[in-house]
Amino acid sequence: MMHDTSVLDDPVGRSLRGPHACFARRLGQAATYLPEVTTFSVVPADANTSAWDDLAELLGPGELADVFSCPATPPSGWEPVFRLEGRQMIWCGTGRFDHPPARPGTEVVELGAGDVPEMLDLVARTQPGPFWPRTRELGIYLGIRDNGTLVAMAGERLRPPGWSEISAVCTAPEARGQGHAARVVHALVERITARDERPFLHVAETNTGAIDLYTRWGFETRKPVTFRGFRTP
């Protein structure tokens, strides 16, 4: 399969029109995910006032419009909530996952609905990025348990055609330095590429440690991105 990189310019919109259509809410020119799945919303890159009105009606007054990397600027009355500089990275297969073998009882396992409370707790303690009660429904989520406790995880989020975004990469503070993140990301890369899809991810520009790791593991920067959120009027 050819992996068209142009779909990564609009990863939210292409996901909602493609593999994630079952999670989409739409009105006119705007679209967003179902509540508790994720807060990502999208309007056209050249959105006019009508498109922003559609999104405001879709979300309701005073709600968060997380427009991810969409470059459109809302009209007056939309309160800025956050702005974060980052980068989009794509997997090129040239890196190396230099992690130690798993200790007995710390193998990579697939996470399901029953694991959500622990997943939410791990996210709250490590802050890898947005994660909601139904986010795990967007794709495969893998984790590592140590003595029965979830200490690391990562999973699939956005799914533009031909691609799968690796997200929620996190390790509990007490379990760092053991190669857990490398093992779960490696396992995800293997599953994604086995479907003839290509992994990609997003990372904050200030997270230089993660950027160094992803580069070592075979990811390269495709482009800079700016993540933005606004409050609807």
Side-chain angles (χ1 to χ4, degrees):
M1 176 187 292
M2 294 295 292
H3 299 101
D4 177 13
T5 58
S6 69
V7 302
L8 301 181
D9 292 333
D10 180 21
V12 175
R14 294 303 297 260
S15 297
L16 286 169
R17 295 194 298 272
H20 286 169
C22 58
F23 299 111
R25 294 185 293 157
R26 300 184 177 280
L27 181 63
Q29 301 179 66
T32 188
Y33 278 86
L34 293 172
E36 296 195 326
V37 175
T38 182
T39 57
F40 299 148
S41 301
V42 67
V43 293
D46 58 351
N48 54 25
T49 301
S50 177
W52 288 103
D53 288 345
D54 291 337
L55 183 57
E57 184 174 347
L58 190 61
L59 295 175
E63 295 295 328
L64 175 65
D66 185 340
V67 294
F68 203 68
S69 59
C70 177
T73 300
S76 61
W78 289 69
E79 175 193 354
V81 176
F82 68 84
R83 179 187 178 97
L84 177 67
E85 300 302 324
R87 64 175 70 187
Q88 184 183 82
M89 303 182 75
I90 58 177
W91 189 73
C92 297
T94 56
R96 183 180 63 184
F97 289 93
D98 49 354
H99 55 78
R103 291 184 289 104
T106 62
E107 294 81 9
V108 175
V109 297
E110 188 163 338
L111 302 174
D115 300 302
V116 168
E118 284 184 280
M119 296 167 77
L120 290 169
D121 177 71
L122 183 59
V123 166
R125 290 193 291 134
T126 57
Q127 300 292 314
F131 189 89
W132 304 95
R134 294 184 59 192
T135 299
R136 58 154 292 277
E137 298 176 27
L138 296 175
I140 296 168
Y141 276 79
L142 303 178
I144 292 175
R145 293 185 176 278
D146 193 349
N147 290 320
T149 300
L150 185 66
V151 295
M153 75 170 193
E156 298 175 293
R157 192 171 61 179
L158 298 176
R159 298 284 301 278
W163 297 81
S164 182
E165 182 197 26
I166 293 177
S167 181
V169 180
C170 56
T171 303
E174 67 274 13
R176 290 173 182 164
Q178 302 178 46
H180 292 331
R183 288 168 53 211
V184 290
V185 172
H186 190 185
L188 274 175
V189 166
E190 288 185 329
R191 292 195 181 208
I192 293 167
T193 55
R195 300 195 304 256
D196 202 18
E197 294 180 352
R198 190 170 171 186
F200 76 112
L201 54 84
H202 295 89
V203 60
E205 195 62 34
T206 55
N207 196 349
T208 55
I211 292 171
D212 289 344
L213 277 177
Y214 294 139
T215 300
R216 186 190 312 163
W217 295 341
F219 290 83
E220 68 177 18
T221 299
R222 176 176 177 259
K223 69 172 188 176
V225 293
T226 300
F227 308 109
R228 298 178 304 148
F230 301 92
R231 190 76 59 193
T232 59

